[in-house]
Amino acid sequence: MIIAIDGPAGAGKSTVAKILAQRLSFLYIDTGSMYRALTLKVLENNIPINDESQIVQLAHKVKIDLRNNPDGPLAVILDGEDVSLAIRAPRITKFVSDVAKIKEVRQVLVKLQRELGQRGDCVLDGRDIGTVVFPQAQKKFFIDASANTRTQRRFKELKGLGQEIAQDDVALDLANRDKIDSTREASPLRQAEDAIYIDTTDLSISEVVDCMLERILKNG
Ligand code: DC
């Protein structure tokens, strides 16, 4: 079974996706982490962020894998190295939407996401899972929240990671990424017609998870 979760940045997709995957004993596939891993490689190689052809070449060369540890967080492996923490750095967040908007980059990573999805039952989160990556997913959710709530959540999360960042900058980053992610030509962020929309602004994490579980377990 494939469960697709899409929505804008900071809506809480990865938090609920991880819990859902644990509760259902499904694999968790964080597709944003793959765009982040490629962005890390682009910056490490000093490739200008507007040099699409070099970025596409790199996308074909790098090896990105996701490893689910039963007792710990998902590990993101880039050319054999665990980059799970490095891909959360502010400079990656700043440039990742510019890398993710390149059509050929998306083709390479979508192929990989589909391969990972063959490993078993899984929960995937991203921007185009229900529309492009797995349009046949058995359950699709679109997770949203007000801009203010998303900013607060992301701010708290980054503080938890030890990152010193002003709340206003977090708000700007979210607005900027959402704009690029939802206006790009190649598979923009969009709710699938058959996705269940959940506004999580006034809901706790467990309320969101319970609501999703109810919808997943209903109708098989
Ligand atoms: O979910 P995230 O913030 O880690 O995602 C990082 C970026 O990757 C996000 O700004 C848009 C892009 N992304 C995408 O275009 N398609 C996906 N399926 C997942 C993420």
Side-chain angles (χ1 to χ4, degrees):
M1 179 178 195
I2 299 269
I3 298 174
I5 305 179
D6 292 303
K13 298 181 301 290
S14 62
T15 306
V16 295
K18 255 180 259 176
I19 300 174
L20 265 187
Q22 257 171 4
R23 297 270 282 271
L24 297 163
S25 299
F26 280 19
L27 293 171
Y28 167 48
I29 300 176
D30 171 359
T31 63
S33 73
M34 300 163 80
Y35 291 97
R36 286 174 178 272
L38 177 60
T39 305
L40 175 64
K41 201 74 182 180
V42 168
L43 297 181
E44 277 177 357
N45 282 270
N46 294 317
I47 296 175
I49 208 70
N50 56 2
D51 189 338
E52 294 199 359
S53 78
Q54 274 209 71
I55 295 176
V56 171
Q57 274 183 36
L58 196 63
H60 282 286
K61 267 200 297 195
V62 291
K63 286 230 162 328
I64 298 171
D65 195 14
L66 302 183
R67 290 194 195 139
N68 276 260
N69 307 314
D71 309 318
L74 178 83
V76 184
I77 312 293
L78 174 64
D79 288 336
E81 195 193 333
D82 188 332
V83 294
S84 312
L85 264 186
I87 59 168
R88 303 290 156 195
R91 67 192 188 109
I92 305 296
T93 305
K94 183 167 175 210
F95 293 115
V96 63
S97 287
D98 291 308
V99 171
K101 73 182 181 194
I102 304 171
K103 191 170 156 212
E104 290 87 344
V105 161
R106 303 197 68 79
Q107 286 167 349
V108 174
L109 293 188
V110 166
K111 182 166 175 273
L112 183 54
Q113 289 155 19
R114 288 180 179 147
E115 283 165 14
L116 294 178
Q118 305 299 321
R119 289 182 181 174
D121 292 324
C122 52
V123 179
L124 295 99
D125 76 359
R127 305 292 188 286
D128 58 343
I129 309 301
T131 50
V132 174
V133 184
F134 285 111
Q136 79 283 21
Q138 285 85 343
K139 275 284 178 275
K140 299 181 187 177
F141 294 95
F142 193 88
I143 303 290
D144 204 358
S146 71
N148 191 29
T149 301
R150 294 191 288 116
T151 301
Q152 309 268 352
R153 288 181 186 160
R154 188 44 64 92
F155 180 63
K156 252 173 94 179
E157 182 190 339
L158 293 175
K159 269 190 116 174
L161 286 173
Q163 289 182 24
E164 291 297 326
I165 183 162
Q167 197 161 315
D168 285 352
D169 290 337
V170 175
L172 278 177
D173 161 63
L174 288 184
N176 181 42
R177 282 203 291 144
D178 284 346
K179 185 163 177 235
I180 301 175
D181 295 343
S182 49
T183 57
R184 68 182 176 222
E185 240 172 75
S187 43
L189 166 67
R190 174 166 81 65
Q191 182 182 344
E193 275 177 20
D194 50 350
I196 298 162
Y197 179 87
I198 304 179
D199 180 350
T200 68
T201 306
D202 297 315
L203 298 178
S204 67
I205 294 169
S206 60
E207 283 172 327
V208 180
V209 171
D210 286 348
C211 166
M212 294 170 88
L213 273 175
E214 201 180 301
R215 306 299 290 259
I216 292 164
L217 301 174
K218 209 164 72 179
N219 321 319

